[in-house]
Amino acid sequence: MMLTLKEMQKLPEAVQLIEKASMMYLENGTPDTAAMALERAGKLIENVDPEKAVQLYQQTANVFENEERLRQAVELLGKASRLLVRGRRFDEAALSIQKEKNIYKEIENYPTCYKKTIAQVLVHLHRNDYVAAERCVRESYSIPGFNGSEDCAALEQLLEGYDQQDQDQVSDVCNSPLFKYMDNDYAKLGLSLVVPGGGIKKKSPATPQAKPDGVTATAADEEEDEYSGGLC
């Protein structure tokens, strides 16, 4: 449903009232109602103020976590992580996904931990932090069944391709069903992942400057420019 401009302007006010109400629910010992109210507020404001929605989802997750309802808590953390990724707030997203992963590990949902590791690695590579991405995979070896899983094999291939500046290898992994059928926000991270140097070494012996007149820069070149100087 499309909101009118007038309704959109009143949303922050409405959300504030819902937050107040949820605090009262908590004080009165009805955390379930408080959590429902906070989640509803997050959904209301998500398209208008994603930053506020992230806060509300995190608050809801805390309420559920305090009640030891970890499955509900982790579901809300997942919503927050996806919004952070959508807003390209990758540092915060990396921390949020780690929290999700810790809870999935606690409730022994190991296959989902593997998926969260893929999400983490994609976020770290978009942060230009290969070391953190590699650490994620290394630490995940302690998760039962990860070593030897297709997720693990794909991630090792991805990191190798990224490290070797082999855009073809990276694209092959990111276009595999394992990556493409993740949540849309993470699938997009995979499809837009560009290796350092934009794969120029492997793709073309010509110098990167040698572009015919009228040819626009590729996404890879633009990404490279954005991060130029940021790599060791």
Side-chain angles (χ1 to χ4, degrees):
M1 187 180 80
M2 291 295 288
L3 291 169
T4 66
L5 184 62
K6 200 172 176 185
E7 285 171 325
M8 282 169 71
Q9 284 166 343
K10 285 185 176 173
L11 267 180
E13 206 179 306
V15 165
Q16 221 173 355
L17 290 172
I18 296 173
E19 276 189 282
K20 274 185 186 168
S22 73
M23 293 310 293
M24 287 164 72
Y25 290 135
L26 277 176
E27 284 161 17
N28 291 326
T30 51
D32 270 18
T33 317
M36 275 167 59
L38 287 168
E39 186 179 357
R40 195 171 298 138
K43 280 179 185 163
L44 273 177
I45 202 93
E46 197 174 286
N47 294 322
V48 180
D49 186 351
E51 202 164 321
K52 182 65 183 173
V54 166
Q55 274 177 29
L56 290 162
Y57 289 146
Q58 288 171 338
Q59 278 175 260
T60 316
N62 285 339
V63 173
F64 280 132
E65 212 172 339
N66 291 338
E67 293 300 301
E68 296 188 358
R69 292 172 59 182
L70 297 182
R71 281 178 177 81
Q72 284 96 330
V74 81
E75 198 180 308
L76 270 298
L77 281 173
K79 287 185 178 191
S81 299
R82 289 193 293 277
L83 275 182
L84 289 166
V85 165
R86 213 171 298 166
R88 302 188 75 77
R89 291 159 63 188
F90 293 133
D91 291 357
E92 292 166 82
L95 294 172
S96 184
I97 297 166
Q98 183 61 50
K99 268 197 90 168
E100 284 184 73
K101 194 168 151 184
N102 292 344
I103 293 178
Y104 279 118
K105 200 171 175 181
E106 201 176 324
I107 60 179
E108 299 185 0
N109 182 341
Y110 300 128
T112 305
C113 288
Y114 313 161
K115 300 291 174 249
K116 294 299 160 190
T117 305
I118 293 178
Q120 273 184 310
V121 166
L122 288 171
V123 165
H124 283 313
L125 292 180
H126 272 272
R127 289 175 64 240
N128 246 19
D129 194 340
Y130 176 83
V131 173
E134 198 181 31
R135 193 187 307 123
C136 273
V137 175
R138 209 168 45 241
E139 285 172 356
S140 296
Y141 288 139
S142 65
I143 299 167
F146 177 72
N147 200 356
S149 68
E150 60 172 347
D151 306 77
C152 178
L155 282 172
E156 284 174 348
Q157 220 181 338
L158 176 67
L159 288 175
E160 181 191 55
Y162 190 89
D163 192 39
Q164 300 293 318
Q165 299 189 348
D166 184 341
Q167 185 67 51
D168 284 345
Q169 184 166 324
V170 166
S171 297
D172 285 349
V173 175
C174 290
N175 274 291
S176 67
L178 192 62
F179 280 63
K180 274 171 87 172
Y181 298 126
M182 292 179 77
D183 282 318
N184 202 25
D185 293 298
Y186 300 121
K188 281 180 181 173
L189 282 189
L191 295 174
S192 62
L193 185 61
V194 177
V195 301
I200 287 160
K201 285 184 183 175
K202 180 177 190 299
K203 293 242 177 208
S204 164
T207 56
Q209 290 83 5
K211 284 196 187 78
D213 290 341
V215 175
T216 55
T218 62
D221 293 331
E222 283 163 13
E223 188 103 1
E224 186 196 357
D225 290 342
E226 191 185 333
Y227 292 122
S228 61
L231 289 163
C232 304

